[in-house]
Amino acid sequence: MLIALWRWIDDRALNDVDKRTLAQIEAVKVASGVIVGGGGLFALYLAARRQRTQELELQVRQIELAQRDRVQVHAEKVAEDTRQDAVERRVTELYTKAADQLGSDKAPVRLAGLYALERLGQGNPGHRQTVTNVVCAYLRMPYTPPDEQADLNEPTERQQREELQVRTTAQRILADHLRDEPLADRAQPPSSPNTFWAGIDLDLTGAHLLDFALAEARLVSINLNDATLAGETVFSGTTCELAFMQHTNFKGLADFRGTEFTNSAWFTSSVFADDVRFDGDQFYRPAKFGRHVSFRASAFHRKACFEGAAFSGSADFREVNWLGGAASVELKSTVIENPETTSPEADAAASAWPDGWHLAIASNHVTLERT
């Protein structure tokens, strides 16, 4: 560019040396400015290219990192699936082995099977209902109690006594894992794991149970329809939504002090051969019945104490047989929270209270009084 300007000045043939020199100086300045400006533009161009290159490199890096993350996530998922499959296979193996042990003809082997199932449920919360179902199924198997007067040396009698030990162990396992807190009189190490199994249903339909103790339990439902409960039966302090105890034979004392049935309880056509308690004392408050309770067509051979019990919904005492006489039932100080509530059964009947008892207004609630 400078050469072109120089030639242009020569072409103009400036005779004045001073003007020619001045023009040449100005030409140099113009050329220099153009060169400097061009250099600046070129520098800007280089900076833009460098910025673009860095952005592209960053995008490529981000894509590589994203791909690496996806690969890592996939690898972790595969590893977790593999681990879970291994756990499930191990659980299945333990479950199958424990079930086989329960079918053994030797009592010690059956006991080992029960303890194996207990460990399986404790270590695998997702299998606790299944473990419970297996233990309940074992208790539902046909069973003949031993004869206390029989000769212990007889093989059959010895086997029956051994089986009794197995069954009482199964009952204890259920009770131990349905308590939200350990019993106060049973010492627990400070670091002991939580043994409570939440959200459990018990199906003991037709089971033969001896001294069945389910005190302080927390469960969803229990089914004891057609069951036989020999000895003392204890549900004190237990809470459950639904209880089915229809055609159930309670051969000994039945203790329901402090029991709360949050939904409904069905004792229809059951037999209570000994005292039954729904009252309270210094240890337990009286029982509380929720939506509905039915004792229809049940038989009470001795005393039935409902003193202080609370009835939130309807109650059905129709056709009850009080074999101990009308005085054997005690309903004083009860709390009837909704006297107008009807039964959830198809007939939607109003509450039917035992003969000789009627609704009465107490100081701040409705109760029952003798006629």
Side-chain angles (χ1 to χ4, degrees):
M1 179 179 290
L2 179 61
I3 295 173
L5 287 174
W6 206 278
R7 287 180 177 178
W8 178 78
I9 293 172
D10 287 342
D11 290 341
R12 294 295 298 270
L14 294 175
N15 295 323
D16 190 330
V17 177
D18 293 336
K19 289 183 177 180
R20 180 181 295 178
T21 302
L22 181 61
Q24 290 175 344
I25 292 172
E26 292 297 327
V28 172
K29 290 181 178 180
V30 171
S32 299
V34 171
I35 293 172
V36 171
L41 289 175
F42 185 69
L44 289 175
Y45 170 74
L46 291 178
R49 286 294 302 269
R50 187 180 302 109
Q51 178 67 25
R52 179 59 179 164
T53 301
Q54 291 176 348
E55 291 177 353
L56 291 175
E57 290 178 350
L58 179 60
Q59 290 178 0
V60 171
R61 180 60 177 170
Q62 289 175 341
I63 292 173
E64 291 176 349
L65 291 175
Q67 291 177 342
R68 185 181 302 173
D69 290 341
R70 285 195 293 270
V71 170
Q72 182 177 357
V73 169
H74 178 70
E76 291 176 351
K77 185 177 185 304
V78 171
E80 176 62 22
D81 291 343
T82 302
R83 188 193 67 81
Q84 188 63 33
D85 290 343
V87 171
E88 290 298 325
R89 285 195 298 270
R90 178 60 177 165
V91 167
T92 301
E93 292 173 359
L94 292 174
Y95 172 81
T96 303
K97 182 178 180 180
D100 288 342
Q101 289 177 313
L102 286 179
S104 172
D105 58 353
K106 298 179 179 180
V109 177
R110 297 196 296 275
L111 284 171
L114 285 173
Y115 288 125
L117 284 173
E118 181 183 22
R119 289 194 302 273
L120 177 61
Q122 182 62 29
N124 300 273
H127 294 271
R128 289 174 177 175
Q129 183 62 61
T130 301
V131 169
T132 300
N133 293 343
V134 174
V135 176
C136 288
Y138 185 86
L139 290 171
R140 292 198 305 269
M141 298 296 289
Y143 171 65
T144 301
D147 184 355
E148 296 296 334
Q149 306 300 323
D151 185 0
L152 293 178
N153 294 321
E154 294 182 3
T156 301
E157 185 63 24
R158 185 170 60 254
Q159 291 174 358
Q160 289 178 341
R161 290 180 181 272
E162 290 176 350
E163 173 60 10
L164 177 59
Q165 294 300 317
V166 177
R167 297 176 71 85
T168 54
T169 297
Q171 294 177 190
R172 180 191 54 75
I173 288 174
L174 293 177
D176 284 349
H177 292 289
L178 291 176
R179 278 192 297 270
D180 199 359
E181 296 180 357
L183 292 178
D185 60 352
R186 185 175 299 175
Q188 297 289 326
S191 60
S192 61
N194 184 6
T195 59
F196 174 60
W197 297 359
I200 295 297
D201 298 286
L202 292 184
D203 183 3
L204 293 166
T205 306
H208 192 292
L209 308 173
L210 177 64
D211 292 325
F212 187 55
L214 206 62
E216 305 290 347
R218 302 290 180 269
L219 63 159
V220 177
S221 68
I222 182 169
N223 191 331
L224 284 166
N225 289 344
D226 301 304
T228 297
L229 291 93
E232 185 174 323
T233 301
V234 179
F235 286 94
S236 52
T238 289
T239 298
C240 69
E241 293 182 22
L242 293 168
F244 301 93
M245 303 184 188
Q246 303 176 104
H247 303 278
T248 305
N249 188 2
F250 294 87
K251 290 190 172 184
L253 173 69
D255 185 356
F256 291 92
R257 291 171 301 148
T259 303
E260 182 174 358
F261 304 98
T262 59
N263 193 324
S264 297
W266 307 86
F267 294 89
T268 309
S269 300
S270 291
V271 176
F272 297 89
D274 206 333
D275 293 345
V276 55
R277 297 189 61 179
F278 292 94
D279 59 331
D281 56 16
Q282 66 270 33
F283 301 107
Y284 294 101
R285 56 173 175 72
K288 184 172 183 178
F289 301 97
R291 182 186 180 197
H292 179 69
V293 58
S294 174
F295 289 94
R296 185 173 183 176
S298 291
F300 293 83
H301 285 251
R302 298 187 63 180
K303 186 174 182 179
C305 187
F306 293 86
E307 185 175 357
F311 295 84
S312 299
S314 55
D316 187 357
F317 284 87
R318 288 176 291 177
E319 304 172 30
V320 172
N321 189 1
W322 305 102
L323 297 174
S328 64
V329 55
E330 182 58 72
L331 286 159
K332 68 179 181 180
S333 301
T334 53
V335 178
I336 314 301
E337 296 182 0
N338 298 287
E340 304 302 324
T341 302
T342 58
S343 166
E345 296 183 274
D347 58 3
S351 293
W353 303 104
D355 293 339
W357 292 87
H358 67 278
L359 295 176
I361 304 298
S363 58
N364 56 358
H365 64 274
V366 178
T367 187
L368 290 171
E369 292 183 355
R370 291 188 185 277
T371 302

